[in-house]
Each structure stands twice: as C-alpha cells, then as structure tokens.
Amino acid sequence: MTEGLRYAYAVVRDTGTPEAALDALTALEEVRGVAGEPVRAVRHLGLAVLAGAVPAEDFDEGPLRRRLEDMAWLEDMARAHQRVVDTAGAESCVIPVRLATVCQGEEGLRRMLATGRERFASALDRLEGRVEWGVKAYAAPPPPQEPPAGAANGPDSPGASDSPDSPGAPGAMSGRDYLRRRKAQRQAAERRWGDTEEEARLVHHTLSGLAERARLHPPQDPRLSGVSDRNVLNAAYLVRREDSAAFAERVGELAGRTPELRVELTGPWAPYSFTDPDETESADETITPHQTGSAGADR
C-alpha cells in the first residue's frame, strides 16, 4: 500500500544494493513508530527515508495541528520519534527529519528526498561515522545556613516589628545588621554562581577540544525539565564513534572535579544538532555569561 499518510523519521544513504538501509531496518524490527506502525524504507535518488503509515484522523493537517496542542500527546509522539531515530542510528549514519513531518503517500516521501537531496547528501557526508553526545551541568544551590543569633528577630520574622531594635532584648538584631547580613548572603551567592559559570566554561572548552563540532543550546527551563538546580551548561558535541569512549571518560573526570557543579552525560545520539551546517558552531566556541543561565531537546 503506497497511498495514505506517511510519517518521516530519518534519511539514510541508499547505495542501490539490496542490502542498502538494511542495518537501520534490521535494528527497527522490534520498534514501532508514532502510531504504533512498523517502519520501512522508501528509496529514491541514492537516498532512503525511514517512514511509517499513520492514520489521517490524527495526522492529517487539521487534526495534527490540534493534536500538537496536547502536551501529553506531543511528548509521547516526540519520544516515539526519537526512539526510531536513535535505534536506526545506533550503528549507521542517519539524518533525523523534523518532528511531525507527514507526507502524502510514498510519492510525497520521494518528493521530499528529491527536494532535499543536496542537503541530505551533504549532511550524510559530513556526519558519517559521527555521533552526538549531550552534556548538561547544573549549579546546585548552597545548603541552607544556620541563622546567626538574633536572626529570628529580623525584619522578616514574625513579631519583628515588636523587638528588633528593642534595647536589652537578648540576641536582638537591629534592622541595619539584618540588611548587612542579607547583602553579604547575596554577594556570596553571586560569587558562587560566578565560580560555577567559570567551571562550566572550562568544561565546555575541554570537551570542545575532544569534539569535531560543538553547539550550545539554551539552558533548560526547570518547569519543563523538572530539575530545580540552575542549568549553567547545555551543550551538544559531535564526536567520532571511535573516540566516544575517551570522550565519555573525560566527562566522568570533569564531573568529579567540583562538588558545586553537577555534570550529566547523555548519548550517544543521532547527530540532531549538526544536520544543518548553518546551525553548527565551531568546536572552540566558548560560553558567555548570558548563555549559561537558561530544548534543546531533552537528551
């Protein structure tokens, strides 16, 4: 069946032999797509797109637009899309297709390959034998400090209006002393954030030296990630497959360097962040302070 809607996941190279795209398809034998469908390859002009048939009631233009407003449905679809791409890319080079790319039948998939042929072929040439690793670093908040004597009578405490400046009150803190203490705490916190941002810059600089390319993503929103610690580094690194073990080992070494900075490694992934040459950054890109404070994709 060649009619109906087809959901596209990734593009691979087709050498024209019966075995072309076989590695990717073999890996996907037990994996289902966004609608629970099997994934197959559609070939054209030296390329093959991995795609699956999806129902019009969910993926036709109107229904899909409404569906994309359902965050739970969107999250499930994104996870299924990523699962297909990462499974196919585990042993071979794949170029991920943008989320929610739907074509009219296999002919629509072939038109997509024809239109993007030069871009897909160039990306496959650049990314052959490479994988993406994700590194996130978080600055944990400082542990709560014991209030000094008299802090309970500071301006923010219950009953403060009755006693902070009362002469003779044991351990009483004046309003002026309280403000000085709060200022010192803020300054200490600012120094601490500055230290962790500098550590994040050093981590990024070190890992960029081990990667062919590096890209900084916006810091993750804690409301979406569920992580309350401040995200001071959210980066992707393009690494040769044979160098992956050394890269992961180096990340582990950096993770133990300072207790104030928590470093997390994810991957290896298909090279999501490096498929478009216009969106890549050189490996010696450094973090500026404003970049360390705020999807990519949650990988």
Side-chain angles (χ1 to χ4, degrees):
M1 179 178 178
T2 61
E3 300 303 319
L5 299 181
R6 296 294 184 272
Y7 185 103
Y9 296 95
V11 173
V12 299
R13 201 183 303 277
D14 178 15
T15 63
T17 65
E19 292 79 18
L22 183 60
D23 289 344
L25 290 175
T26 300
L28 289 169
E29 287 178 350
E30 303 300 324
V31 177
R32 292 295 179 263
V34 296
E37 84 285 4
V39 178
R40 62 185 301 267
V42 175
R43 300 172 176 180
H44 191 53
L45 299 174
L47 301 171
V49 56
L50 305 180
V54 291
E57 56 264 30
D58 289 326
F59 290 90
D60 210 354
E61 185 176 358
L64 179 58
R65 186 181 299 112
R66 292 190 293 272
R67 280 291 207 172
L68 292 175
E69 296 176 356
D70 181 341
M71 295 306 295
W73 188 87
L74 176 59
E75 181 178 356
D76 288 343
M77 184 184 72
R79 291 186 183 280
H81 180 107
Q82 182 176 334
R83 183 168 57 248
V84 171
V85 173
D86 289 335
T87 302
E91 298 297 335
S92 58
C93 184
V94 303
I95 303 303
V97 173
R98 189 182 301 275
L99 185 70
T101 296
V102 180
C103 299
Q104 289 287 346
E106 292 188 2
E107 189 57 36
L109 293 172
R110 294 188 184 96
R111 283 196 298 271
M112 182 190 77
L113 291 176
T115 301
R117 181 185 181 186
E118 184 176 343
R119 177 171 59 87
F120 289 133
S122 174
L124 285 165
D125 289 342
R126 286 186 293 105
L127 301 175
E128 182 67 45
R130 279 82 173 167
V131 293
E132 176 175 328
W133 288 90
V135 176
K136 296 181 179 67
Y138 299 91
Q145 298 178 347
E146 290 294 328
N153 292 326
D156 291 342
S157 61
S161 60
D162 299 331
S163 60
D165 293 317
S166 299
M173 176 182 287
S174 70
R176 181 178 299 173
D177 289 339
Y178 176 79
L179 293 175
R180 286 173 178 164
R181 180 171 64 87
R182 291 294 297 272
K183 180 180 179 180
Q185 290 174 338
R186 285 195 299 271
Q187 290 174 337
E190 290 171 0
R191 287 193 298 270
R192 187 175 188 277
W193 292 133
D195 290 343
T196 54
E197 288 178 343
E198 179 60 26
E199 288 291 341
R201 279 189 285 269
L202 292 173
V203 168
H204 180 61
H205 178 75
T206 300
L207 296 180
S208 293
L210 301 176
E212 291 190 350
R213 305 286 294 181
R215 185 181 179 193
L216 291 170
H217 293 297
Q220 287 191 316
D221 187 333
R223 294 170 298 180
L224 301 178
S225 67
V227 180
S228 60
D229 295 345
R230 184 179 178 184
N231 183 203
V232 294
L233 175 64
N234 185 14
Y237 303 91
L238 185 67
V239 179
R240 296 179 65 87
R241 286 185 186 273
E242 59 264 34
D243 297 333
S244 286
F247 183 87
E249 182 179 359
R250 188 67 175 121
V251 173
E253 294 171 356
L254 294 170
R257 186 163 67 180
T258 172
E260 291 82 10
L261 195 67
R262 180 165 56 85
V263 180
E264 293 183 354
L265 174 69
T266 60
W269 311 105
Y272 293 88
S273 301
F274 304 97
T275 57
D276 189 340
D278 293 334
E279 294 183 356
T280 59
E281 297 172 351
S282 61
D284 60 356
E285 182 74 19
T286 57
I287 305 172
T288 57
H290 73 276
Q291 288 175 301
T292 61
S294 67
D298 183 17
R299 287 187 293 277

